[in-house]
Amino acid sequence: MSLLGHSKGVDLPALQEHLQGLWNRKELQELHQFLAASFSHMQEPLTGLLDLLEGCVTIQKVKSTSLSQFILTEFMRWKTNNPKAILKGLSEKEKLRLQQRALELLTDTQSGYMDPLLEVYQLSSLEKPLLLKHVTFLQDCCCCYKEALVFSVKVELQKDLDMEKMCVPLILLDKLPLVEMYVHGHPDLQQRLVSLLDSWCDPDFNIQQLLSHYPQLVLSKHQTDQIQPKLLSKHVFRLMEKFCIDPGLCSNSVYKRKLDSLRFLMYKTFGEKTMSEDNWRDHVQTMVAGNTELQIQLVQLLVKHCSLKTAAQWAAHYHVPRHRLPIGVWDIIQSLSPKQLEMCAVSVQPESWTPPQSYLQKYYQLPLAREDVHFVETLDELEQCRQAVLKPGCVVGLDMEWRASFGTVSAQFVALIQLAIQRQVFLLDLCAHSISHHNTTVNFIRALLSDNNILKLGYGMSGDSSSLVRTWPELREEPLKMEGVLDLLHVHQELQRCWSGRRVSRSVKVSEGPAEKGLSLLVQQVLGKPLNKTEQLSNWERRPLRISQLRYAAADAYCLLDIYFALSQDQRAYGLPEDLRSIPSAQQAKSREEKKPKDKSRQSKRREARQKVNEPRSREDECVKVNSEYHGPPITPRELRVVCDNMLQGLGCFLRSLGVDVRMLENTDDHKVAAELACAEGRFILTAGQPYQTLRSHLGESRCLTLDCSEKARDQAVHVLRHFNVHFTPADIFSRCQKFSILFHITT
């Protein structure tokens, strides 16, 4: 059968049925030949194509979409060798008739038709009223919001359409990337989009009121959850940076981020006590300047976290209206003299290079005198640094500092570069105009980072390199080549993998305060004490830097050398390869793991597991299991000393009845109390869930045992006794409680 297109006598339904039959039987080669021959015999191929596509819509609609796509693909392939299949030469009336028919096919059911039909029927050349009418039809009649937006972008109608009408439904449907495509290349629309999203961050915004304008939209719970200030403000800040939008146009999002940052700073300073009051004051004054609402929030937070007197001083300083003050603050203001209300700067005591004795015992200490830490702010000093560092075989600890941008969208520029070598640290001041953007400085850092004969040590170096490129745009124009670099973050991740795999364990001393993380945790795990991070969030652009800032900056770089040499002395003790640079990043390790062939199916593993459960366990097998977990001789119940997390109080009572020496946490105790008791009294920790990760980092893998909190206390006890190879007699059982005789039979 050949296709004669729009000629008389053609049985179009029979033809479509024949095509559908070939498609259903998957006779694709015959279908391909049939279509090519049919297109060639068409008198009006453009009309015939529309006839076929319209027929595919009406016949077996569910299955015919793929067939229609196949027909379109074959037509586009055939068209490349048949130039007659174009609109040119047709009358304007016939051309318009075909274009209107093609438009009618562009709905959600035939979303894949758009690009081929736009090209074949030159739909972009239609008059704007017709195109706009089709967009309105897609939105109002078909609810094809995605197709309407994509079509309007293809035919460049953005300037002629209502941006909110086009974009709001897709934002609600969690399709923001499509909306970003819609405003691409249109700065005015980009600004309106960001302002729209920011308006949804207003505390008075009501999503139900917005949805009432779109009754045809039915949102899932996930889609509804995306319309909340926390997530929306993230999109606003991302788009502000992407589209270079003035933050002044996004007052709601900026206010929210600054308020969140203000609460964070209050917690760090008065709750966690890991930020000095001097650093806190510096950040807060910058953050609340010129914003009355933030100043009011600051006073309220000071009442909660600090004192009424301090709150009164700040309230008086910013002239906060009386009716906006928390209860009691106005009375304090009235009772204090003008001099007492002055916010005096934090008294600066002369700092010694040697920190207080309490810090010496608690934190890692920089093993250098003050004269060995060089603050580089001139070209002559930079040359001395260059000569000391650029030596083949040299090992350099590299770190960078910049001012934290709390609540702002300003780019973070590097303020200080720390370079540590054996017995010396150089601090390059990038706030000094004489060297900050000088070619000598840029070329020196480029030469250092690209020299494969010099080993550079860092921790999380991707963030440092990104900030460095923002600081020196010339590094983007001529991309920076990183050679001879060892990111100790990857080494740290490998250590954690080793410990989680029980290949090695290492105990560390438990420190007061919050659990360590990042580089500080690695320093604690390898060198015994964590870093003092009090100055981490200080203002690194202020000059002169305090002694404590200089000491922190130098220690942050020099500890990388100490870690590297400690690990290199005995890699096997840490479960690491001899060449530390061969350790892949976490992403690379994950990719390698995914590429490994799976030797067993999930079903076969389950089958083997069931067989093992059903097999009787011999005493010999059980000893092998115990010895693989606990490398120690058999012990009596009284010799086992444990501390139970507050999630395992039932287990604690059970073990205590068996004669085990048990300490149990109260419901209000922090999990770190377990680590402190374990260290002070030589106990093992029994825990469950997420706290295991934190506790393991403090004491090591071998001192912690995690249990399934969904199991009954008796089953948990069986696991504990087998794990620690506890041997007991019937006398131990019956002397305490008759019901524990069952446990004796299970474990023996």
Side-chain angles (χ1 to χ4, degrees), residues 253-301:
S253 298
V254 171
Y255 173 79
K256 184 184 184 308
R257 175 163 289 192
K258 286 188 174 182
L259 180 58
D260 291 342
S261 299
L262 187 60
R263 289 169 176 159
F264 171 75
L265 290 172
M266 298 295 293
Y267 169 73
K268 294 288 286 186
T269 306
F270 302 106
E272 201 177 70
K273 300 186 185 302
T274 55
M275 175 181 282
S276 68
E277 191 172 340
D278 194 17
N279 288 333
W280 172 83
R281 182 188 299 267
D282 187 38
H283 288 303
V284 165
Q285 287 179 325
T286 302
M287 190 182 305
V288 305
N291 192 314
T292 303
E293 290 300 321
L294 283 173
Q295 293 164 2
I296 294 170
Q297 290 289 339
L298 170 62
V299 174
Q300 293 175 351
L301 290 169

Side-chain angles (χ1 to χ4, degrees), residues 72 212 243 252 335 388 410 480 693:
L72 264 177
S212 66
F243 298 144
N252 293 314
S335 66
S410 57
L480 187 64
Q693 304 297 333

Side-chain angles (χ1 to χ4, degrees), residues 46 124 144 177 191 196 297 310 320-321 346 370 386 410 448 460 486 507 544 570 608 627 689 705 711 720 723:
L46 297 180
S124 299
C144 303
Q191 181 175 309
L196 172 68
Q297 290 289 339
T310 304
V320 176
V346 178
R370 174 65 184 87
R386 193 187 69 82
S410 57
L448 172 63
L486 174 60
S507 300
D570 192 359
E608 290 182 7
N627 290 333
L705 176 63
E711 291 183 342
V720 171
H723 179 90

Side-chain angles (χ1 to χ4, degrees), residues 207 220-228 231:
I207 186 175
S220 66
K221 183 180 183 302
H222 168 77
Q223 290 166 337
T224 305
D225 291 343
Q226 302 309 302
I227 312 300
Q228 56 172 301
L231 296 177

Side-chain angles (χ1 to χ4, degrees), residues 390-456:
L390 293 183
K391 294 180 178 179
C394 189
V395 180
V396 182
L398 174 65
D399 193 27
M400 302 177 195
E401 304 294 345
W402 51 82
R403 179 173 182 168
S405 56
F406 291 110
T408 66
V409 292
S410 57
Q412 295 174 322
F413 299 114
V414 177
L416 197 71
I417 298 179
Q418 304 105 281
L419 301 175
I421 59 176
Q422 282 293 327
R423 296 183 293 278
Q424 290 187 90
V425 176
F426 296 91
L427 306 178
L428 278 59
D429 182 14
L430 294 197
C431 292
H433 296 294
S434 58
I435 69 168
S436 59
H437 287 82
H438 200 281
N439 287 337
T440 304
T441 310
V442 179
N443 293 335
F444 164 49
I445 297 300
R446 185 189 292 277
L448 172 63
L449 293 177
S450 60
D451 194 333
N452 198 33
N453 295 317
I454 300 176
L455 178 60
K456 281 79 61 179

Side-chain angles (χ1 to χ4, degrees), residues 619-683:
R619 184 67 185 171
E620 182 180 354
D621 291 337
E622 196 161 296
C623 289
V624 171
K625 180 179 183 297
V626 169
N627 290 333
S628 66
E629 295 177 337
Y630 176 72
H631 300 282
I635 58 176
T636 65
R638 296 182 182 277
E639 292 176 311
L640 178 60
R641 296 164 57 83
V642 300
V643 53
C644 281
D645 203 345
N646 43 31
M647 292 184 291
L648 298 174
Q649 292 177 343
L651 170 64
C653 294
F654 209 103
L655 292 175
R656 186 175 288 169
S657 299
L658 293 173
V660 177
D661 187 347
V662 179
R663 293 287 297 271
M664 288 188 289
L665 299 190
E666 300 294 333
N667 290 331
T668 56
D669 286 339
D670 187 83
H671 298 295
K672 185 173 270 192
V673 175
E676 294 170 351
L677 287 172
C679 284
E681 302 177 7
R683 296 177 180 271

Side-chain angles (χ1 to χ4, degrees), residues 567-580:
L567 295 177
S568 299
Q569 286 178 359
D570 192 359
Q571 297 95 325
R572 290 187 178 180
Y574 293 92
L576 299 173
E578 291 186 6
D579 183 6
L580 297 180

